[in-house]
Amino acid sequence: MSKGTVENMATLSTDLFYDILKRLDGATLASASCACAAFSSMSKEERLWQNVCSSMWPSTKRDDVKNLISQIGGFKKFYADCFPLIVNKNVSEFTWRDYPEYPEELTEAEYYGDFDESQNVSPSDFVFIVDVRYKDKSICSKVIWGIPNANGFNGWFSNCPFRIDLFSFSGQGDDHTGGVTLSIDDGLPLVTSMERERKDGKLWQELRDGIRLSWIVVNTKAKKAANLSSWSPLGGQRHWPTEKDFLLRFGSILPAEDILPCQMVECILAMKFQVTEASGVQTTLKLTELCMQLGDMEGAHVNGRNSLLVLNEALSCNRSKNYNLALESCHLYSKVQSEIKEEKMRYESRLDKLWILGGITVFVTLFCYFM
């Protein structure tokens, strides 16, 4: 930068600087802070990062969420924690034989040991901030304070599969409590009939390309936050379970070292839309389901007790702004998971054959003996 340029910038007012910076997105604002001392100083303003967060996550416009973010370190820290995606680089290709199983003589609680009270993880410590966008337009924003229906570690929550259904819980001050719809006014293509959609899949493709999900978990006691979603869908299935249903899957791979034998679990975020109208004049989709679960390598759902520990561990895991790295991590996990299932099926098939052969051998031996 030339001396004349620096002198010209010095003559600019602080208000003009601020007006320039407030129009930037988070990534550009972070880059601009390195351009000069003036930008560096002003980029520390919380108002700028509040604007960035409000634009990206409409849920952060709520007064209660603003207070929460202020308590855990401010909007700049919140953006730095939640904009990058979770990346697990420890997904290793191991076989099912290396996968530890529960000893038959021990219960699951005995195998994992007693709950460590020193970790002090409670369902009430967590806050979930969820935002759904379609083609950069916010269609659903919801905040859940605490884990619904979790009445302590000694109840059913600890041992039952962990699951949060967004629309089964109505939080105070939510922008949407159900009835979220998309139509051609929102950018959906016109579908004349479901038969035509089954052939060309135009609606399905537009939905996959346009939908975005952010599912942020905040631990109020640890004052940490992380985004559990993959932003874009990792996969999905159309016309399931009925021909009018579209199922989209988001998520991330979370570390579970010293918590579960598999050392890592998949955070499964499932979103389901249903076609409510497909005529020559209108196409309408309704968001019917949005839920979160944790699953291990064998596809079993993690219980509530261990899920709390995994979510707490996820707040300190590696993250990256590179979407491809997060996508690669999820795809590698799915690959390893499929290989484990296939090897397990082959192993069990060999055992079945050995049992059958053993049974036949015993039968023939007894038959020969009595004859």
Side-chain angles (χ1 to χ4, degrees):
M1 185 178 294
S2 65
K3 181 178 179 181
T5 304
V6 173
E7 291 177 350
N8 290 335
M9 290 188 65
T11 62
L12 297 177
S13 67
T14 303
D15 292 337
L16 182 57
F17 273 160
Y18 181 82
D19 189 64
I20 294 173
L21 295 179
K22 75 178 183 180
R23 302 173 187 274
L24 305 179
D25 59 24
T28 309
L29 179 58
S31 299
S33 65
C34 303
C36 64
F39 280 178
S40 177
S41 177
M42 293 199 64
S43 65
K44 298 177 183 178
E45 283 281 341
E46 275 292 288
R47 291 179 300 169
L48 292 173
W49 293 103
Q50 181 176 339
N51 291 338
V52 170
C53 292
S54 299
S55 177
M56 178 163 291
W57 302 292
S59 295
T60 60
K61 296 178 182 179
R62 294 175 34 159
D63 291 337
D64 54 352
V65 178
K66 289 180 182 178
N67 293 333
L68 171 66
I69 295 175
S70 298
Q71 293 171 7
I72 64 174
F75 284 92
K76 184 177 182 180
K77 180 179 181 296
F78 183 80
Y79 178 85
D81 288 342
C82 301
F83 178 73
L85 300 179
I86 292 177
V87 175
N88 195 323
K89 300 180 180 179
N90 298 323
V91 180
S92 58
E93 298 188 14
F94 57 91
T95 63
W96 178 72
R97 290 181 179 179
D98 299 325
Y99 188 91
E101 298 185 56
Y102 305 128
E104 294 182 358
E105 67 274 10
L106 298 179
T107 64
E108 181 185 9
E110 292 171 333
Y111 183 77
Y112 288 122
D114 296 330
F115 181 78
D116 187 0
E117 295 292 344
S118 65
Q119 296 186 52
N120 201 20
V121 182
S122 169
S124 60
D125 294 340
F126 294 95
V127 179
F128 299 95
I129 303 173
V130 184
D131 288 285
V132 183
R133 288 178 172 273
Y134 180 70
K135 294 186 175 180
D136 294 329
K137 176 184 177 182
S138 176
I139 63 172
C140 178
S141 295
K142 198 172 183 70
V143 180
I144 298 179
W145 296 82
I147 297 177
N149 305 319
N151 298 318
F153 291 103
N154 296 324
W156 63 268
F157 171 80
S158 298
N159 300 314
C160 290
F162 175 79
R163 179 184 174 97
I164 294 180
D165 289 295
L166 201 67
F167 293 142
S168 67
F169 176 76
S170 298
Q172 188 176 21
D174 290 325
D175 296 332
H176 302 277
T177 56
V180 181
T181 59
L182 290 173
S183 65
I184 58 176
D185 295 332
D186 299 308
L188 288 180
L190 188 63
V191 177
T192 56
S193 66
M194 290 307 300
E195 290 77 11
R196 182 61 181 270
E197 167 59 22
R198 183 178 288 275
K199 292 179 180 179
D200 57 32
K202 187 176 180 181
L203 178 60
W204 166 249
Q205 191 62 45
E206 287 287 331
L207 183 63
R208 283 196 58 177
D209 293 343
I211 204 73
R212 297 292 182 270
L213 172 65
S214 171
W215 191 302
I216 295 173
V217 57
V218 180
N219 188 316
T220 57
K221 188 171 294 183
K223 296 184 178 181
K224 294 181 180 181
N227 199 333
L228 302 175
S229 182
S230 53
W231 285 110
S232 301
L234 296 171
Q237 191 171 358
R238 61 174 180 154
H239 309 303
W240 190 90
T242 70
E243 69 168 7
K244 293 186 176 182
D245 290 319
F246 297 124
L247 180 65
L248 297 167
R249 183 176 59 85
F250 304 77
S252 55
I253 309 303
L254 308 181
E257 297 180 6
D258 302 324
I259 302 173
L260 293 169
C262 57
Q263 303 295 307
M264 63 196 72
V265 299
E266 180 182 15
C267 177
I268 306 168
L269 304 174
M271 179 188 298
K272 185 184 291 184
F273 283 90
Q274 186 175 74
V275 180
T276 57
E277 184 177 355
S279 61
V281 295
Q282 182 61 276
T283 301
T284 306
L285 290 176
K286 181 178 180 180
L287 181 58
T288 59
E289 182 180 328
L290 183 54
C291 65
M292 179 182 76
Q293 287 182 295
L294 300 182
D296 65 13
M297 277 286 189
E298 290 189 326
H301 295 304
V302 183
N303 63 27
R305 169 181 171 275
N306 291 324
S307 294
L308 293 183
L309 299 177
V310 171
L311 291 176
N312 194 56
E313 185 73 17
L315 299 171
S316 304
C317 62
N318 295 325
R319 299 164 218 191
S320 174
K321 297 178 183 178
N322 188 340
Y323 172 73
N324 291 328
L325 288 179
L327 193 64
E328 180 182 353
S329 175
C330 294
H331 287 169
L332 181 57
Y333 182 91
S334 298
K335 178 183 177 182
V336 174
Q337 190 178 47
S338 298
E339 291 176 353
I340 289 175
K341 289 181 179 179
E342 291 175 0
E343 187 170 349
K344 181 179 179 180
M345 291 177 62
R346 289 193 296 266
Y347 179 74
E348 292 178 345
S349 177
R350 289 193 294 268
L351 284 181
D352 291 340
K353 292 177 181 178
L354 288 175
W355 278 107
I356 294 173
L357 182 60
I360 293 174
T361 302
V362 171
F363 176 78
V364 172
T365 302
L366 293 175
F367 179 80
C368 293
Y369 175 78
F370 287 107
M371 288 298 292

